[in-house]
Structure formats: C-alpha cells, structure tokens
Amino acid sequence: MEIKKNVNLKNYSTFKIGGKAKYFVIAKNEDEIKKAILWAKKKKIPFFILGGGSNVLFSDEGFRGLVIKLRNTRYEIRNTKLIAEAGVPLQKLVLETAKKGLSGLENLAGIPGTLGGAIWGNAGAFGREIGDVVEEVKVLDVRGLKLEIKKLKKDDCKFGYRDSIFKKRKNWVILEATLKLKKGEKKEIEERIKEILKLRKEKQPLEFPCAGSVFKNVLIETVPRKIQEKFKEKIKNGFLPAGVLIEAAELKGYQIGGAKISEKHANFIVNIGNAKANDVMQLIEKIKKEVKKKFRVQLEEEIKLVGF
Ligand SMILES: Cc1cc2nc3c(=O)[nH]c(=O)nc-3n(C[C@H](O)[C@H](O)[C@H](O)COP(=O)(O)OP(=O)(O)OC[C@H]3O[C@@H](n4cnc5c(N)ncnc54)[C@H](O)[C@@H]3O)c2cc1C
C-alpha cells in the first residue's frame, strides 16, 4: 500500500473536476483500509472515503487530508445471496447477478460507482433502490484509535430516498454488504437491463463528464399548493423532479465557465471543457436562487461536496 502525495483528484471523479489530495491511497482490502485510516488518525489529518467518484464534486483547492480510494473488490454469489465488498463496481454486480438469473439489481443498470457508494446514498432508478435488496451491511466504526466492526440489518440502515444512516454516521466506513436477490429468468433480466440502458442513454447527457443528478427530487408535500397544481402531471411517486423545476426556470443550457446545465436533462451539470469546481458551485447557487424565486422551492444537493 503506497500513500502518494499531491494526487490530482479530477482523475478520480466522473466530473473530471477538482484540485489535489494532499495524500492519496488505494486500499485493496479490509486490512489496507484499516491501516490507511490509522495512518491518518495518527497524523491527526482528516480522511475521505472514495468509491467510484461518481457522486462527488471536489473543490478546486482539493482535499487537505488523506483520500482513501476503495478497491476491495471480492464478491461471492451463494444461491440467491450476493456478498460483496464495498469497492466492487455496482455494474459488475448488475451483470454478474443477471448472468446467474438473479433478479433485483437490473433497474440499477447504468449507475456508475461502487457498491459502497450506492449503499451510502441508497442509489436508485426506475422505482427501485439498492436498499430494497440489502440484507446486511458490514461497517468499520472508526471512532478513536480502536477500530470496530459492526453489522447492520436492513432496518438499521434507515434507507430513504437517496438517504441512509451512513450519511449521518461520519465515522462509519462501509466494508461489505449482503444482498438478497430473487430467482428470475436470465433472458428477461438481461432484456430489462438493455431496456434500462437504452432509456438512460436517451435521457442523460452521457457524452460529457458529470456526476449524475445534482439535486434531489422534491417531496411533493414540501411544494407550495399552487406550484403542485402547476406541475401535477410531472409528479412521480410523490416527488416533483428537480429537473422539471430547473427547466421551467428556463435554465437549460445556462453556462458558467466550463460548466453547463445540460440541454438534455436539466438536473445534470456537465463539464464541457476544463470546468472548475467554482463554475459548478456558481451554477448550483444560480439554480437554487432562481427556483426559490420562481417556485418557492428550496432545492437540496444530491452530490457530495468535498473540500469546500
Ligand atoms: C452519468 C451518471 C448517472 C447517474 N445516475 C444515477 C442514478 O440513476 N441513480 C442514482 O442514485 N445515482 C446516480 N448517479 C450518481 C452516482 O453514480 C451514485 O450516487 C453512486 O452510487 C455513487 O457511488 P460512488 O462509488 O461513485 O460514490 P462516490 O462518488 O465515490 O462517493 C459518494 C459518497 O459516498 C461515500 N462513500 C463511498 N463509498 C463508501 C464506503 N465504502 N463507506 C462509506 N462511505 C462511502 C463517499 O465518502 C461520498 O460521500 C449517477 C452518476 C453519473 C455520473
């Protein structure tokens, strides 16, 4: 395990944005993760756990601590159970479980990043979320110098819309998870994956670096009555898509520096060339201000801001 200095974080984020990490390490197993955390603790510097970097915006100043990129990638399929380490790419699991005729992950086809990142934010699409299939999550509690393993059952994970207990427990590192899948028809599952990937390609600006949806969709109860009425046809499963509000605020295509609000999907900010984190932050502020002014709705970031 080699701890490197001054590593460019833009190479580790799907946004392709960000300054340098003062220290950076790739941890390939539980032991290396523990060693890296203890190293940072002894040096009294902060650390940040990074998965696939597909839901983060690193600041232009970077991170003045140790970034620990997880690459613990062991997994095993036992009957209908999948036991996988946090660093396994989610898409690997989508495809491997489909091959075995196991259903449960197909709607998550095309979501970049790792299993750990997906569990942290309860990633989901097309009406399904990773939390639906989680049975147990193994975490490392890193309070103090004595690191402790904990096992959480699904209910303890408190999964909600793009939410979980892990967002609140800053001292927990997700190490591994057990997912409970269902036996299905391999052909049907693979067809569904193809269909989902096609839909994603149609809807999302996948030709530019980005970090997925910038804002969370808005719980309909929190939207003023008149605005609910105005957008009633757009409400999906009790949520008003943030993209609908951004588009209605006529912000599609709005650009600051190298960052632009996608023409294809208003809730995506894309890096159209050497965007700075500062450009993205200015766009985020602009969107929040306009949406608040026009619709009296306070948008909340889905992406994780790091080093600001
Ligand atoms: C083109 C595109 C499309 C997307 N579509 C979707 C979508 O349809 N649905 C959706 O939900 N998301 C979507 N996303 C967002 C993103 O892919 C997901 O949120 C993904 O699950 C993040 O995983 P990651 O490994 O990249 O996490 P990272 O971006 O690396 O990290 C995100 C957060 O999780 C924390 N984290 C990561 N791993 C661990 C761990 N092991 N223990 C503790 N904390 C951890 C990090 O500290 C950070 O705070 C999309 C992104 C892109 C770029």
Side-chain angles (χ1 to χ4, degrees):
M1 186 176 82
E2 186 196 353
I3 296 181
K4 294 188 179 154
K5 272 189 101 170
N6 297 322
V7 170
N8 263 322
L9 287 169
K10 65 165 67 160
N11 298 331
Y12 293 94
S13 102
T14 57
F15 236 146
K16 300 278 170 256
I17 294 176
K20 289 181 176 170
K22 182 151 191 214
Y23 300 102
F24 182 93
V25 69
I26 293 180
K28 293 192 231 55
N29 52 48
E30 198 173 306
D31 195 42
E32 291 190 353
I33 296 170
K34 286 181 181 164
K35 278 190 181 137
I37 292 169
L38 287 174
W39 185 87
K41 282 188 168 260
K42 285 193 182 128
K43 251 179 132 40
K44 295 197 166 46
I45 55 168
F47 64 87
F48 177 75
I49 300 291
L50 180 65
S54 64
N55 203 25
V56 291
L57 175 65
F58 290 118
S59 79
D60 295 320
E61 284 69 45
F63 184 72
R64 294 195 56 75
L66 173 67
V67 171
I68 306 172
K69 167 141 179 89
L70 298 202
R71 208 170 274 158
N72 49 339
T73 53
R74 281 189 315 183
Y75 69 91
E76 187 189 341
I77 297 174
R78 272 191 230 148
N79 298 318
T80 55
K81 276 191 191 179
L82 165 71
I83 302 137
E85 290 185 325
V88 187
L90 183 64
Q91 288 317 295
K92 170 111 190 146
L93 299 176
V94 169
L95 296 178
E96 291 301 312
T97 53
K99 260 194 217 161
K100 298 242 183 241
L102 292 175
S103 167
L105 292 180
E106 53 273 35
N107 282 20
L108 310 186
I111 301 182
T114 59
L115 175 65
I119 290 176
W120 184 85
N122 193 18
F126 303 99
R128 297 301 302 262
E129 299 164 332
I130 189 87
D132 298 341
V133 291
V134 165
E135 185 174 277
E136 189 175 89
V137 178
K138 180 175 159 191
V139 299
L140 187 65
D141 186 343
V142 302
R143 255 174 308 173
L145 283 177
K146 208 170 147 272
L147 310 183
E148 205 185 309
I149 299 279
K150 280 192 162 72
K151 287 193 173 169
L152 280 88
K153 292 287 175 208
K154 177 187 181 140
D155 283 350
D156 306 326
C157 297
K158 302 209 175 356
F159 289 116
Y161 166 65
R162 298 297 170 273
D163 200 19
S164 74
I165 185 93
F166 309 107
K167 285 197 168 181
K168 286 161 206 106
R169 297 284 187 273
K170 312 282 177 214
N171 291 311
W172 288 0
V173 178
I174 300 163
L175 291 177
E176 184 187 286
T178 304
L179 308 184
K180 180 102 180 75
L181 304 168
K182 286 201 172 83
K183 281 214 172 84
E185 281 300 321
K186 181 174 176 228
K187 213 167 158 247
E188 263 174 40
I189 298 167
E190 289 182 338
E191 279 305 313
R192 178 73 181 145
I193 291 177
K194 264 197 212 148
E195 190 188 331
I196 298 268
L197 291 177
K198 188 166 164 268
L199 285 172
R200 294 180 76 91
K201 215 171 156 195
E202 280 164 17
K203 285 187 176 177
Q204 299 184 348
L206 303 178
E207 56 280 23
F208 294 108
C210 70
S213 293
V214 175
F215 297 101
K216 288 185 179 182
N217 293 330
V218 188
L219 196 60
I220 199 63
E221 287 92 65
T222 64
V223 176
R225 276 261 176 268
K226 266 193 181 161
I227 309 296
Q228 286 188 25
E229 197 50 39
K230 181 175 164 74
F231 294 109
K232 66 172 185 279
E233 261 120 60
K234 306 279 185 184
I235 298 168
K236 262 194 243 151
N237 307 321
F239 288 90
L240 180 58
V244 167
L245 294 171
I246 301 168
E247 186 171 350
E250 295 176 358
L251 288 169
K252 261 188 169 179
Y254 191 89
Q255 188 179 335
I256 296 180
K260 185 174 174 182
I261 301 171
S262 166
E263 312 262 10
K264 202 165 171 184
H265 190 316
N267 198 14
F268 275 54
I269 292 178
V270 289
N271 176 359
I272 56 166
N274 297 318
K276 296 276 167 216
N278 193 36
D279 301 336
V280 177
M281 288 306 279
Q282 284 185 54
L283 272 185
I284 287 177
E285 287 316 314
K286 169 84 181 165
I287 292 170
K288 280 179 155 177
K289 200 172 128 207
E290 292 295 318
V291 167
K292 178 88 184 155
K293 196 168 84 189
K294 290 211 163 85
F295 308 117
R296 284 174 292 133
V297 170
Q298 185 63 57
L299 289 179
E300 189 194 330
E301 287 90 338
E302 179 176 324
I303 55 172
K304 167 85 181 163
L305 306 174
V306 185
F308 287 90

